[in-house]
């Protein structure tokens, strides 16, 4: 089983002690976002977790204690650093600070375990094609020696909580991406990545950009996680989390409407007031990220099936 710590919220940045406590105590509870009275328990130990996947926009809060997890578990780290400033990502550090933190993280865990995410890519009156080109090249030059790959995606207008109308309301000067815009951006990113020897891939894209040396693959596959940690995984079909996604299934231990980054394009937060309420109900000692077990809740043991090749079995069996 793959544990995902950051698909629903930036757990690393805002809930660091809680996250470390959960791995220390060896289990976590996660409330089902579709069925709120259903709470799932996952055991957090190396026998039941194949790999712990981190996703964050700021690893600084956890660096000094990250070894508490990396000493025991196989890991992979997605670090999102974009071209946007405080106008778009109010709670995210400045680009230079973020790159410095990524380099420190890379020195700790190894470049083979770090995927730089440059997404979502969108156009506005401020963040033009030229702005993306200049910023991406500056970042690629600095980060290329410290990363396994770079993943990018174009902003979506049909995911949970995200729509074109919402983006137009939230993002100053938002410009809808036409196909020609996506191709022009992809061509520039591909050219720059090739220049600096970066393996560049899309995430959930429905269009083919291979002409510009851009690979189409899941951003969280058993190949990526296995190669980073010298693990032999079974040859399994990757179901993905949504249409067009080619990632291996994982279990997210975070919660929606809890991230304080305040990104204008965010799909995981629907109501800023709800985010603050949830944050205030957070207890670092609780097995749940926010709130507590309520009357009527049912706690269910989550299915934790290993994807690893078992000794004595052929790959693809079991």
């Amino acid at each position: 089983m793959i544990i995902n710590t950051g698909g629903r919220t930036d757990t690393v940045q805002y809930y660091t002690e809680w996250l470390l406590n959960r791995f220390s105590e060896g289990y976590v509870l996660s409330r089902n976002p579709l069925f709120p009275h259903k709470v799932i328990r996952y055991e957090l130990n190396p026998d039941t977790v194949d790999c712990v996947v981190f996703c964050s926009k700021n690893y600084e809060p956890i660096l000094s204690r990250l070894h508490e997890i990396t000493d025991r578990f196989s890991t992979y780290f997605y670090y999102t650093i974009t071209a946007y400033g405080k106008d778009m990502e109010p709670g995210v550090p400045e680009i230079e600070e973020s790159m410095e933190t990524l380099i420190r993280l890379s020195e700790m865990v190894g470049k083979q375990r770090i995927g730089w995410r440059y997404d979502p890519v969108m156009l506005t009156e401020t963040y033009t094609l030229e702005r993306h080109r200049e910023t991406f090249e500056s970042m690629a030059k600095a980060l290329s020696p410290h990363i396994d790959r770079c993943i990018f995606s174009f902003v979506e207008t049909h995911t949970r909580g995200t729509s074109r109308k919402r983006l137009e309301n939230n993002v100053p000067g938002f410009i809808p991406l036409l196909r020609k815009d996506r191709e022009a951006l992809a061509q520039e990113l591909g050219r720059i990545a090739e220049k600096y020897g970066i393996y560049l891939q899309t995430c959930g894209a429905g269009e083919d950009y291979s002409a510009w040396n851009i690979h189409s693959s899941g951003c969280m596959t058993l190949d990526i996680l296995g190669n980073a940690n010298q693990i032999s995984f079974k040859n399994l079909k990757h179901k993905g989390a949504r249409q067009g996604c080619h990632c291996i299934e994982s279990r997210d231990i975070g919660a929606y409407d809890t991230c304080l980054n305040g990104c204008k394009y965010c799909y995981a937060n629907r109501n800023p007031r709800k985010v603050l309420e949830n944050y205030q109900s957070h207890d670092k000692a609780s097995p749940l990220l926010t709130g507590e077990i309520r009357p009527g809740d049912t706690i269910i043991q989550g299915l934790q099936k290993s994807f690893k090749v078992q000794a004595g079995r052929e790959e693809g069996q079991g």
Side-chain angles (χ1 to χ4, degrees), residues 154 178-188 207-209 212:
F154 294 115
L178 302 177
R179 181 168 182 171
K180 65 179 181 62
D181 300 321
R182 294 193 296 272
E183 290 184 348
L185 281 163
Q187 186 173 4
E188 284 298 296
E207 296 168 326
D208 181 10
Y209 304 120
W212 303 299

Side-chain angles (χ1 to χ4, degrees), residues 190-250:
R191 178 187 63 79
I192 294 167
E194 187 172 16
K195 177 179 178 180
Y196 293 102
I198 295 175
Y199 184 97
L200 182 64
Q201 66 173 88
T202 54
C203 173
E207 296 168 326
D208 181 10
Y209 304 120
S210 58
W212 303 299
N213 200 36
I214 299 173
H215 306 270
S216 177
S217 171
C219 54
M220 187 171 67
T221 67
L222 291 180
D223 281 343
I224 293 173
L225 303 183
N227 290 336
N229 294 281
Q230 292 78 55
I231 299 174
S232 295
F233 283 118
K234 300 173 185 177
N235 183 19
L236 299 174
K237 182 178 180 180
H238 290 45
K239 298 179 181 180
R242 65 188 187 281
Q243 185 176 1
C245 178
H246 303 290
C247 295
I248 190 65
E249 62 180 297
S250 62

